[in-house]
DNA sequence: GTTTTAGGTTGCAACTTACTACTTAATTCA
DNA sequence: TGAATTAAGTAGTAAGTTGCAACCTAAAAC
């Protein structure tokens, strides 16, 4: 994969540091995984993850501040607080899956429950991968770094995916 | 997305904690991003990222231990150590991109340099997304968690993607 | 053979995390 | 209604991690 040795300063501005600021602390990612798997309450997170209560309170608070989780007291039992993924939080799913798949492939060596499946046919999802704008899957050698300014728009078959 | 309220114990065994053990510490991810963008030497990482030298040494050491970076003294100047991504490390690229894209979409609000493009047509890659085994893109509502044991193999059109 | 460079290590202060016990408010139970 | 329980969170303190600056070592350059 060709790299640009220049523009290293620009690295500091990319989306990664911002993302890590929001979810890069110890436990944040595991809390999110819990949320994706159906945990919604303080005590559920605490007993499932075994995290210290003050750290959990702190992390939940930060995730809420960042708009990743929504905090709602339930109307029928106002002691109970429900933490639920917002759209912003839910959009971390591809990241989570990619990291989990990597861990399964290179660290644990085995696929673990529960498995995410396509609702239509109950078959496991494909491995998270890099695709061209037209849908072709790209390997590491099909890729290059480029300056945004140098990219020429061409007749885009089905762009819109780039966000 | 349907969740299973059971098997929370199993969460502890999934690939995520293992992955986080390897790259979940502060700075590790940014060091990797540097490696993806062409950094190879201690002083390059240090001056580009502004990380403390002892922390950098510690993190590089852990990444090497985990087989994510390879450490090679250069033959023509044996003071110089080259850190280079292994295959295992390079396979973190989808995770990195997914997280970076999320950060750009939800935190910084803008796309930043350098951009990863398809070498064939120099167009930016598609957004990292979740796909069915047959290649259809899946939204959050097309997904369900399931026990691996309950999944029936069916005539797999082009499986092999599941890892 | 002195100086410079690359890649570290060391010591210490500041910050973060973890463990345990306590608090507060809403709900249930007797 | 009043006592016990539960959900969520706070407080105190010990242990671990991070960050800064100065120092070290071996190879290369002058």
């Amino acid at each position: 994969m060709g790299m640009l040795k220049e523009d290293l300063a620009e690295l500091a501005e990319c989306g990664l540091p911002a993302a890590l600021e929001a979810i890069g602390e110890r436990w944040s990612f595991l809390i999110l995984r819990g949320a994706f798997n159906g945990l919604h309450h303080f005590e559920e997170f605490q007993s499932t993850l075994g995290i210290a209560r003050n750290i959990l309170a702190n992390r939940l608070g930060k995730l809420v501040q960042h708009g990743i989780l929504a905090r709602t007291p339930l109307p029928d039992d106002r002691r109970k607080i429900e933490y639920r993924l917002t759209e912003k939080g839910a959009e971390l799913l591809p990241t989570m899956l990619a990291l989990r798949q990597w861990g399964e492939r290179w660290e644990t060596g085995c696929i673990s429950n529960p498995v995410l499946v396509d609702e239509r046919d109950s078959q496991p999802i494909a491995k998270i991968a890099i695709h061209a704008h037209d849908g072709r899957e790209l390997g590491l050698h099909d890729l290059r770094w480029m300056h945004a300014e140098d990219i020429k728009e061409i007749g885009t078959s089905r762009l819109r995916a780039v966000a």
Side-chain angles (χ1 to χ4, degrees), chain A residues 150-163:
Chain A
D150 299 338
I151 294 172
K152 301 194 256 278
E153 289 273 332
I154 59 172
T156 55
S157 48
R158 38 172 152 151
L159 197 52
R160 142 174 330 186
V162 187

Side-chain angles (χ1 to χ4, degrees), chain A residues 1-60:
Chain A
M1 176 168 37
M3 310 282 186
L4 301 171
K5 270 265 186 180
E6 336 137 18
D7 63 9
L8 297 171
E10 285 173 322
L11 284 183
E13 312 157 10
C14 105
L16 248 176
L20 290 172
E21 166 115 6
I23 57 153
E25 279 164 309
R26 231 206 287 276
W27 289 113
S28 296
F29 226 70
L30 293 173
I31 291 170
L32 284 177
R33 184 197 52 174
F36 276 113
N37 282 275
L39 302 184
H40 295 297
H41 298 283
F42 190 95
E43 304 291 337
E44 286 178 339
F45 286 108
Q46 203 283 315
S47 61
T48 304
L49 302 179
I51 179 178
R53 304 179 69 83
N54 54 350
I55 303 296
L56 176 57
N58 178 281
R59 293 300 181 277
L60 287 172

Side-chain angles (χ1 to χ4, degrees), chain A residues 1-148:
Chain A
M1 176 168 37
M3 310 282 186
L4 301 171
K5 270 265 186 180
E6 336 137 18
D7 63 9
L8 297 171
E10 285 173 322
L11 284 183
E13 312 157 10
C14 105
L16 248 176
L20 290 172
E21 166 115 6
I23 57 153
E25 279 164 309
R26 231 206 287 276
W27 289 113
S28 296
F29 226 70
L30 293 173
I31 291 170
L32 284 177
R33 184 197 52 174
F36 276 113
N37 282 275
L39 302 184
H40 295 297
H41 298 283
F42 190 95
E43 304 291 337
E44 286 178 339
F45 286 108
Q46 203 283 315
S47 61
T48 304
L49 302 179
I51 179 178
R53 304 179 69 83
N54 54 350
I55 303 296
L56 176 57
N58 178 281
R59 293 300 181 277
L60 287 172
K62 283 191 185 170
L63 291 170
V64 168
Q65 270 179 30
H66 278 96
I68 291 167
L69 294 178
R71 180 187 189 280
T72 329
L74 294 186
D76 50 323
D77 181 348
R78 303 183 36 66
R79 287 172 310 178
K80 284 199 175 176
I81 306 290
E82 190 182 65
Y83 291 97
R84 193 168 278 280
L85 287 162
T86 60
E87 190 197 347
K88 177 176 176 180
E91 290 221 356
L92 281 165
L93 187 57
T95 304
M96 269 235 351
L97 292 172
L99 187 52
R100 178 179 165 180
Q101 288 173 355
W102 181 88
E104 291 178 348
R105 165 108 168 34
W106 294 96
E107 295 286 333
T108 69
C110 63
I111 300 191
S112 50
N113 276 311
V115 169
L116 197 59
V117 300
D118 177 359
E119 193 157 57
R120 192 154 357 167
D121 61 7
S122 294
Q123 292 300 298
I125 59 164
K127 190 167 167 183
I128 302 284
I130 300 170
H131 294 261
H133 61 88
D134 60 5
R136 272 175 302 127
E137 184 168 337
L138 299 174
L140 293 170
H141 301 292
D142 306 321
L143 296 166
R144 222 175 62 230
W145 294 105
M146 233 176 125
H147 280 278

